Amino acid sequence: MELPPYATTGQRIWHYTFKVLCGLILFFLIAPIVVIIPLSFNAENFFTFTPGMLAFEADAYSFKHYQDFFSNPDWQQALVNSVQIAPVATLLSVSLGTLAAVGLSQDHVPFRRAIMAILISPMIVPLIISAAGMYFFYSRIGLQGTYVGVVLAHAALGIPFVIITVTATLVGFDRSLTRAAANMGADPVTTFFKIQMPLILPGVISGGLFAFITSFDEVVVVLFVGSAGQKTLPWQMFTGLREQISPTILAVATILVGISIALLTTVELLRRRSERLRGMSPG
Amino acid sequence: MKLKTIMLSTGAIAAAASAYAAGHGMADSMTLVSWGGAYQASQTNAYSDPYKAEHDGLEVVWDESSNEAVAKLRAMNEAGNITWDLVDVVASDAIRLCDEGLALEIDHDEVLAAAPDGTPASEDFGDLLVSDCFIPQIVYSTTVGYRTDLVGDTAPTDICAIFDLEAYPGKRSLEKRPINNMEWALLCDGVAKADVYDVLSTEAGQDQALAKLDTIKDSVVWWSAGADTPQLLADGEVVMGSTYNGRLFSLIEEQDQPVAMLWDAQVFDLDGWIVPAGLPEDRLARVMDFLYFATDTQRLADQAKYISYGPARASSAPLVGQHATLGIDMAPHMPTDPANATNTFLYNYEWWADYRDDLDAKFQAWLAK
Amino acid sequence: MSDASQAGPVLAADGTPLKKSLQRALRAQKLRALALIAPLLIFILVTFVGPIADMLFRSVENAIVSETLPRTVVALEDWDHEAGEAPSEDVYRMMTYDMVTAAELKTHTRLGSRLNYETTGISSMFRKTGRRVDDFGEEYTDQFVALNPAWEEPATWVALMAASTDPFAISPAAEQALPETASIYADFAKTIADTKGDSVTEEEPWHPVYLALYTDLIANPDAASAFSGESAALISAAAAAVPTFEVTTTKDLFVKADKGWTDPEVWGTIKAFTPEYTSGYFLASVDLKKSPDGIESLPEDRQIYMLLFKRTLFMSLMIMGSCVILGYPIAFLLANLPMRTSNLLMILVLLPFWTSLLVRTSAWKILLQQQGVINDILVWIGLVDDADRLVMINNQFGTIVAMTHILLPFMILPLYSVMKTIPPYYVRAAKSLGATNWVAFWRVYFPQSVPGIGAGCILVFILAIGYYITPELVGGTTGTFISNRIAYHISSSLNWGLAAALGTILLAVVLILYWVYDKIVGIDNVSLG
């Protein structure tokens, strides 16, 4: 994207126009976040930029919504529930998903397309249908309103992401490495954990993160499949938006954006590490 | 037959209650279902916290699912796995749940406390016992609030201001369903209050109501969540909008926004408890014990300290005191206050039970066009 | 291996033919692959596919009518809706029996609400009648009791109806001589046992049982011969007396409860929905109606679903288009910048992706509303007059903007992963051969990025078409999707059959698209970063 020194004026104009355009689109992407952060410091209980805020008066800003988040047992419980549900659901989808992705990437898999379609289905079935279907079914077998029920439902929703990312990493996987390991006497389990796993780890991790976010940000299914005991953060936000608009939601969002940035940085670092491992040059 | 049914079921309840007297057989946790937000907070303060203080080791779980209560109760019933103990619903949902056998029929005099002067519960609640399964807690109204700074010099005084775009230009917010809107449209189109439902029963009457709504359709923001109108009013996004009177009270008195409200043709409605049918005995015993406590005269009056909804018992009205934190008298803010109730509109549950599906289809088709 | 040079099959080391050995190895490989996939496949089938199939099955299921009104359904077989008249007294009598049982079990209102979807007013007819139906036949009870007080005694009835061995089974003699009575009495016995845990030995039968007895005795005056002892005497005395009984038709009783029962339309609806499986919900979801006279289209002012399907498709296409337009330059930029810079920018792309959907939607509300940030800025710089601020929310525009924002990362990521694989030297070669920048891009680079566009488009489209929360919050009236109606029917109107039918159609559309997607790009070729 470097502009060559011999570029014509027209090329220069185009080059800068393109950069401005991209800048605008990127701004479009983060605009909502830019709005959320200041509003979360609003001293009033509405999603409104008060005149005081626009004039940068100190008393128009406050930390009260953050205090509310950290002191309100409802929010704290929701946070605890989210933290208890999402990792377990993620673990379940990652372990089952990785196994299946390894199976799927073998050479001769019968009914590969059909199996793939079934495994991807949680991503393509409209969420409201999934929610209602799981709700009726889980009620019947006594899983509705239980921790296990919500974890299973969220795990199912996260699986397509794991499958997609892991199979994508396996496409670039050099099969001769496992053969070499087997040749040297490693059993399949050792081969998997010592050879294959480290190399597909980035895919597994990014799939896992997608699965985690799916569970962590999921509201429709948990609203149906869960009950009070499984009230997650998005559920609390949803009731908050419906019953009582309070910028506490924005405070939570701001905190979560912070965590997202941390997570994304982690992913990026991991990716760089894996590329070093695979001996690929960055780029 | 009917009498016998009721006697039998109250027999079971009495048996459960006596089991309690022996100190055994009550579940030590219960799940209450409500709406969340300030309303649920008022219930926690007035009902469940004092009850918990009297019963050590009792766990009370609140589930904020009243919005989906009918659907969830039906699915629980289909599955034979009832996880809720007491559910807060609006009267029309209570009727529906009772009809479908999803809520327990109760004998109000047997199960609920009498008024302090000995008036039996059924008389104390009076007409508000709209269903055999329903234990009313509060009377609320759906009414209109407006921005005092955006309506010009003459503040609106009656409901038809909604339809008056000339005097009050700007957006208004209305609920995204036919209930209330169709009635108001007819009232403001010259139909007498007593005839509204007769007119609405005819195809022509429905068209008349929609035609009236058509005149403001472009200026309406349709809301579906209770928090929408207060937010829209606070933003100045709408000039006026319909919402529950408790929301407007909070907006005006607690949040100090430049908003005022109308007490005209406000639609009177009820909210209260139902007990799901099919609870095991120990949970039923617990919930009945709680219900006796939480719906007595004093407790209902206490709730009004936290939110401006009228207690459903006649005997509670004189006990309504001051707001818990603001210290203002709550009585004048009650929908049941005589000064406010001069021109209320009574919501016809039976009629809507019949016409809801059909009219909703028509209303939604109209909206989508 | 010594005889490998000889004719015959090539053998493997262990002496089996190589072909067979390879086949075995292949089979083992297949099995191993399947064994790896199996846990997840079973997991998904049980926790996800099964429930969805179960849900969608509700779109055709309609056993409620024939289960709740078994006798009426049979009696209605001979009734012809075309004649335009209410059915005969027999049907009303059967309805009494069905209704009284249903009312005790509280299933009558459930059926009422079911049929109310088809014909307005049936719900309250069932409700009102259900409240009174246990009094239907009261005058027969009175007359039987006046004849002999023994008729009031539960024991009399048990002696008459019950098989000698089991008080809950009906004796064959009673079934033979008093068929209607036997049938309704059996329902009575079962119902009180189920609902209250009572026994027939303690409860006086319902009034309609007496009605049935009256009807049986009129039809079969000789019924006493089937019984013996006291029962025979009772029956013969009753049989002698019934012709002098005062009678009211059950039709009148029904009409008194609700005059709607004279309407042939109501009976026609019941008859039209007697089969256990119905196409009614599917017809309703394409604005048609199953009426007693066949399939007809709904009145125009109630047609909504086709409009919503079309709108859902149109808006999903718009969202997809906006995603391509906005996503392509960003993906291009990311793919052509040095790794470190592009990864930093990638965080900007992924950040909103990982911010709560609810929060992002609320943020768009704050940005787009009339008193919102964008309007404020436009007024401030003087582009827009304060009096007529732009309406950008609660309409299609708002939904498209918010959803484009939400789905944009799903476009950028596959595009980016495809563009990463496009070697830069093709474009350089084109340029060195004299192509202008534009030609080099359009004729050389763009065609190579088409698979990425395909992948992103279908991904975005499939996700968009099923969206529900964002359109609900910012869609207003013109920006809502079919999913919003599905949600409404699931949680508010409780018309689960219609919700399932709408869902099935939507799912079918999505599956077709998925199939197309798989054909064009292959599902393996999606990379999520």
Side-chain angles (χ1 to χ4, degrees):
Chain A
M1 288 304 282
E2 289 299 300
L3 200 59
Y6 49 80
T8 62
T9 323
Q11 280 172 334
R12 265 170 213 285
I13 292 173
W14 170 241
H15 179 82
Y16 289 112
T17 320
F18 180 73
K19 289 218 157 160
V20 170
L21 205 68
C22 287
L24 285 176
I25 299 169
L26 286 172
F27 183 73
F28 168 77
L29 274 167
I30 55 159
I33 297 170
V34 172
V35 171
I36 290 163
I37 295 172
L39 271 184
S40 68
F41 296 99
N42 193 344
E44 286 209 39
N45 285 338
F46 295 98
F47 290 180
T48 312
F49 284 102
T50 55
M53 290 181 82
L54 298 177
F56 297 105
E57 287 164 20
D59 57 355
Y61 293 86
S62 86
F63 280 102
K64 70 176 191 180
H65 305 299
Y66 289 86
Q67 275 166 3
D68 184 39
F69 173 65
F70 287 110
S71 61
N72 186 329
D74 280 350
W75 281 105
Q76 289 303 302
Q77 188 56 45
L79 178 67
V80 169
N81 285 337
S82 275
V83 168
Q84 281 175 349
I85 289 169
V88 181
T90 308
L91 200 67
L92 201 59
S93 31
V94 167
S95 47
L96 289 177
T98 309
L99 213 59
V102 171
L104 277 171
S105 61
Q106 313 263 322
D107 282 331
H108 305 280
V109 184
F111 314 113
R112 190 163 184 282
R113 281 179 169 249
I115 291 173
M116 198 70 179
I118 291 171
L119 299 186
I120 302 291
S121 64
M123 193 170 85
I124 59 176
V125 176
L127 216 49
I128 181 70
I129 299 176
S130 315
M134 290 201 257
Y135 178 56
F136 292 131
F137 192 76
Y138 287 18
S139 299
R140 212 165 304 151
I141 54 175
L143 281 179
Q144 197 276 327
T146 64
Y147 173 74
V148 176
V150 177
V151 166
L152 289 182
H154 277 179
L157 293 180
I159 276 167
F161 294 101
V162 178
I163 294 281
I164 289 176
T165 50
V166 178
T167 38
T169 348
L170 281 167
V171 168
F173 179 73
D174 186 353
R175 205 69 60 77
S176 55
L177 290 175
T178 49
R179 281 190 212 122
N183 226 358
M184 288 188 258
D187 60 72
V189 179
T190 319
T191 317
F192 177 74
F193 280 106
K194 294 268 175 183
I195 308 290
Q196 213 161 6
M197 196 60 189
L199 287 171
I200 61 169
L201 196 64
V204 174
I205 288 180
S206 86
L209 282 173
F210 277 103
F212 182 83
I213 286 299
T214 306
S215 168
F216 207 69
D217 188 25
E218 203 292 317
V219 61
V220 182
V221 169
V222 75
L223 211 54
F224 278 85
V225 176
S227 71
Q230 296 82 43
K231 192 170 68 184
T232 56
L233 275 181
W235 184 347
Q236 175 71 23
M237 289 183 180
F238 188 70
T239 5
L241 279 177
R242 199 177 59 201
E243 292 306 324
Q244 193 153 48
I245 287 185
S246 146
T248 306
I249 293 165
L250 304 182
V252 180
T254 307
I255 294 170
L256 291 182
V257 165
I259 296 174
S260 299
I261 293 176
L263 280 175
L264 285 167
T265 320
T266 318
V267 181
E268 170 61 18
L269 291 177
L270 278 168
R271 222 182 44 80
R272 287 188 187 174
R273 176 174 168 268
S274 92
E275 267 163 13
R276 264 204 319 281
L277 274 179
R278 274 199 277 184
M280 285 162 112
S281 62
Chain B
M1 214 58 233
K2 198 87 184 180
L3 188 70
K4 219 161 192 174
T5 318
I6 291 171
M7 281 172 60
L8 274 161
S9 59
T10 50
I13 291 158
S18 60
Y20 159 65
H24 296 295
M26 276 221 245
D28 49 14
S29 83
M30 76 184 159
T31 305
L32 308 179
V33 181
S34 187
W35 302 89
Y39 181 65
Q40 186 177 307
S42 75
Q43 292 176 314
T44 314
N45 286 328
Y47 307 153
S48 72
D49 283 352
Y51 184 77
K52 256 165 67 177
E54 285 180 19
H55 296 81
D56 266 350
L58 175 74
E59 192 196 358
V60 177
V61 181
W62 286 94
D63 191 331
E64 294 159 359
S65 297
S66 282
N67 223 28
E68 298 86 29
V70 186
K72 281 193 161 187
L73 275 171
R74 201 206 248 187
M76 283 183 196
N77 180 274
E78 255 184 37
N81 176 25
I82 313 286
T83 54
W84 292 345
D85 295 308
L86 193 59
V87 186
D88 189 292
V89 288
V90 293
S92 57
D93 283 344
I95 293 173
R96 214 144 50 122
L97 289 166
C98 203
D99 276 348
E100 297 213 7
L102 300 174
L104 185 72
E105 282 186 14
I106 55 161
D107 178 353
H108 294 89
D109 287 336
E110 189 81 28
V111 171
L112 306 178
D117 63 358
T119 315
S122 59
E123 281 175 43
D124 204 12
F125 283 106
D127 294 342
L128 306 186
L129 296 178
V130 293
S131 154
D132 290 337
C133 304
F134 184 56
I135 304 119
Q137 288 167 72
I138 57 137
V139 175
Y140 71 94
S141 285
T142 307
T143 184
V144 169
Y146 58 90
R147 283 282 292 224
T148 47
D149 54 343
L150 297 178
V151 290
D153 299 332
T154 46
T157 52
D158 69 288
I159 193 79
C160 298
I162 299 177
F163 297 94
D164 191 348
L165 283 175
E166 257 170 52
Y168 308 105
K171 297 252 178 198
R172 41 268 280 141
S173 62
L174 291 174
E175 190 170 3
K176 201 184 202 167
R177 58 174 198 174
I179 297 172
N180 300 350
N181 298 328
M182 300 291 267
E183 286 101 322
W184 283 335
L186 284 185
L187 281 177
C188 294
D189 206 29
V191 176
K193 208 151 76 168
D195 301 335
V196 165
Y197 287 107
D198 288 338
V199 174
L200 263 191
S201 302
T202 64
E203 199 73 22
Q206 296 164 11
D207 292 340
Q208 185 188 350
L210 289 179
K212 183 72 182 174
L213 285 167
D214 248 337
T215 60
I216 54 165
K217 192 177 175 188
D218 292 339
S219 306
V220 177
V221 176
W222 300 95
W223 60 269
S224 46
D228 287 347
T229 295
Q231 171 71 43
L232 290 167
L233 281 170
D235 277 350
E237 188 71 11
V238 295
V239 180
M240 59 180 77
S242 70
T243 187
Y244 314 126
N245 68 292
R247 305 270 182 183
L248 287 170
F249 171 81
S250 148
L251 194 62
I252 298 164
E253 303 292 343
E254 293 170 6
Q255 312 289 344
D256 225 8
Q257 297 291 313
V259 171
M261 67 192 285
L262 290 178
W263 288 106
D264 182 59
Q266 73 268 27
V267 182
F268 220 55
D269 204 344
L270 306 168
D271 192 273
W273 301 114
I274 59 105
V275 181
L279 287 183
E281 214 153 90
D282 60 332
R283 279 166 60 195
L284 185 65
R286 168 60 71 197
V287 88
M288 284 301 168
D289 188 61
F290 173 73
L291 206 51
Y292 185 90
F293 173 87
T295 59
D296 71 9
T297 301
Q298 185 59 48
R299 240 48 68 182
L300 288 186
D302 282 352
Q303 193 188 0
K305 276 197 257 178
Y306 305 99
I307 200 154
S308 70
Y309 294 125
R313 279 178 186 261
S315 62
S316 299
L319 302 179
V320 171
Q322 292 184 329
H323 189 277
T325 50
L326 296 177
I328 51 175
D329 269 336
M330 290 301 277
H333 298 281
M334 296 287 145
T336 42
D337 190 68
N340 296 336
T342 50
N343 186 27
T344 57
F345 187 86
L346 278 179
Y347 170 64
N348 188 336
Y349 300 109
E350 189 97 339
W351 191 89
W352 275 111
D354 272 347
Y355 284 86
R356 184 180 169 128
D357 300 317
D358 184 50
L359 216 52
D360 189 75
K362 191 166 178 169
F363 186 77
Q364 296 297 340
W366 171 79
L367 269 186
K369 282 194 176 105
Chain C
M1 295 297 269
S2 58
D3 52 1
S5 55
Q6 291 176 7
V10 184
L11 295 186
D14 58 356
T16 51
L18 185 60
K19 200 172 162 195
K20 215 170 174 185
S21 174
L22 280 175
Q23 266 175 352
R24 198 188 297 147
L26 188 65
R27 203 165 50 235
Q29 208 178 4
K30 278 186 182 178
L31 280 178
R32 213 182 60 182
L34 282 183
L36 286 170
I37 300 167
L40 182 67
L41 191 63
I42 293 165
F43 179 81
I44 290 280
L45 285 175
V46 172
T47 59
F48 191 81
V49 179
I52 303 292
D54 176 60
M55 161 82 200
L56 298 182
F57 181 65
R58 288 171 189 267
S59 59
V60 290
E61 201 214 318
N62 189 46
I64 185 167
V65 181
S66 51
E67 268 170 20
T68 319
L69 307 175
R71 301 180 183 88
T72 316
V73 162
V74 175
L76 270 176
E77 268 170 25
D78 300 328
W79 172 73
D80 184 14
H81 170 258
E82 302 281 307
E85 276 171 29
S88 67
E89 170 66 15
D90 279 346
V91 173
Y92 285 97
R93 204 174 60 248
M94 293 305 154
M95 187 71 161
T96 310
Y97 303 149
D98 289 338
M99 187 81 105
V100 72
T101 312
E104 286 299 323
L105 295 169
K106 299 219 158 217
T107 50
H108 67 302
T109 41
R110 223 172 275 191
L111 177 62
S113 352
R114 162 70 188 93
L115 292 172
N116 204 56
Y117 300 141
E118 316 299 338
T119 302
T120 301
I122 293 192
S123 169
S124 72
M125 288 168 58
F126 272 77
R127 204 170 334 107
K128 286 185 200 159
T129 315
R131 238 177 263 150
R132 296 179 174 209
V133 72
D134 51 1
D135 293 333
F136 286 15
E138 192 177 5
E139 56 173 349
Y140 297 98
T141 314
D142 294 345
Q143 293 179 75
F144 275 110
V145 173
L147 203 62
N148 188 340
W151 282 116
E152 245 180 330
E153 297 303 321
T156 312
W157 283 95
V158 174
L160 196 63
M161 306 306 294
S164 46
T165 43
D166 175 4
F168 289 102
I170 302 296
S171 78
E175 232 160 70
Q176 191 75 44
L178 308 168
E180 274 190 39
T181 321
S183 133
I184 175 78
Y185 189 80
D187 274 5
F188 159 73
K190 190 169 165 2
T191 308
I192 60 163
D194 287 355
T195 56
K196 295 179 213 139
D198 268 3
S199 156
V200 281
T201 52
E202 285 155 21
E203 281 247 3
E204 187 190 343
W206 303 326
H207 296 306
V209 177
Y210 294 88
L211 164 69
L213 181 63
Y214 168 81
T215 317
D216 279 336
L217 289 178
I218 291 287
N220 178 15
D222 202 22
S225 61
F227 299 91
S228 59
E230 263 179 57
S231 300
L234 257 176
I235 292 282
S236 74
V242 285
T244 63
F245 273 18
E246 265 181 52
V247 295
T248 334
T249 60
T250 43
K251 182 176 176 180
D252 289 343
L253 292 168
F254 270 94
V255 174
K256 225 160 82 188
D258 192 305
K259 57 180 186 301
W261 289 112
T262 52
D263 186 357
E265 202 58 36
V266 169
W267 293 99
T269 306
I270 296 177
K271 190 171 175 175
F273 284 90
T274 49
E276 267 192 47
Y277 298 99
T278 180
S279 56
Y281 293 122
F282 275 102
L283 293 174
S285 46
V286 289
D287 292 331
L288 297 173
K289 182 181 154 94
K290 191 186 176 86
S291 78
D293 311 312
I295 296 167
E296 49 191 57
S297 94
L298 274 180
E300 203 169 324
D301 59 7
R302 283 175 180 73
Q303 296 184 2
I304 179 168
Y305 297 113
M306 287 313 281
L307 177 75
L308 282 180
F309 274 118
K310 278 185 220 149
R311 180 178 292 166
T312 305
L313 287 178
F314 167 75
M315 299 218 324
S316 303
L317 280 173
M318 289 296 289
I319 290 159
M320 186 187 91
S322 332
C323 282
V324 175
I325 294 169
L326 298 183
Y328 199 92
I330 294 295
F332 183 81
L333 183 77
L334 290 175
N336 290 292
L337 279 178
M339 194 68 165
R340 274 167 200 281
T341 334
S342 84
N343 277 339
L344 271 181
L345 291 182
M346 193 54 125
I347 288 183
L348 291 186
V349 175
L350 290 178
L351 203 53
F353 193 34
W354 288 8
T355 310
S356 166
L357 178 79
L358 290 166
V359 171
R360 275 189 283 165
T361 310
S362 310
W364 278 112
K365 258 183 157 166
I366 300 164
L367 282 165
L368 293 176
Q369 63 187 6
Q370 281 192 291
Q371 307 295 324
V373 178
I374 294 177
N375 262 312
D376 279 348
I377 293 173
L378 289 177
V379 169
W380 183 63
I381 56 177
L383 266 180
V384 168
D385 190 64
D386 196 17
D388 42 27
R389 288 165 171 249
L390 304 177
V391 181
M392 294 183 291
I393 198 127
N394 295 320
N395 54 20
Q396 296 197 352
F397 182 80
T399 309
I400 290 172
V401 170
M403 285 184 55
T404 301
H405 178 260
I406 287 162
L407 295 173
L408 194 50
F410 287 99
M411 176 64 80
I412 294 178
L413 294 175
L415 259 179
Y416 170 76
S417 61
V418 168
M419 287 179 178
K420 281 303 279 186
T421 64
I422 300 177
Y425 38 76
Y426 288 124
V427 173
R428 280 187 220 135
K431 282 189 191 164
S432 73
L433 290 172
T436 61
N437 277 345
W438 171 248
V439 171
F441 168 77
W442 184 244
R443 303 283 295 275
V444 178
Y445 191 88
F446 183 78
Q448 297 184 80
S449 67
V450 165
I453 298 180
C457 279
I458 296 228
L459 200 57
V460 166
F461 191 83
I462 283 177
L463 290 172
I465 205 171
Y467 251 61
Y468 142 63
I469 286 197
T470 307
E472 182 71 39
L473 292 176
V474 299
T477 57
T478 54
T480 50
F481 280 25
I482 194 75
S483 304
N484 298 82
R485 284 311 279 173
I486 298 179
Y488 168 81
H489 284 305
I490 284 172
S491 55
S492 293
S493 80
L494 299 197
N495 193 348
W496 292 347
L498 182 55
L502 291 169
T504 308
I505 297 177
L506 185 59
L507 187 59
V509 173
V510 171
L511 285 178
I512 291 169
L513 287 170
Y514 172 79
W515 179 78
V516 171
Y517 178 55
D518 198 22
K519 272 269 173 293
I520 299 176
V521 272
I523 191 69
D524 303 348
N525 297 338
V526 185
S527 160
L528 291 171

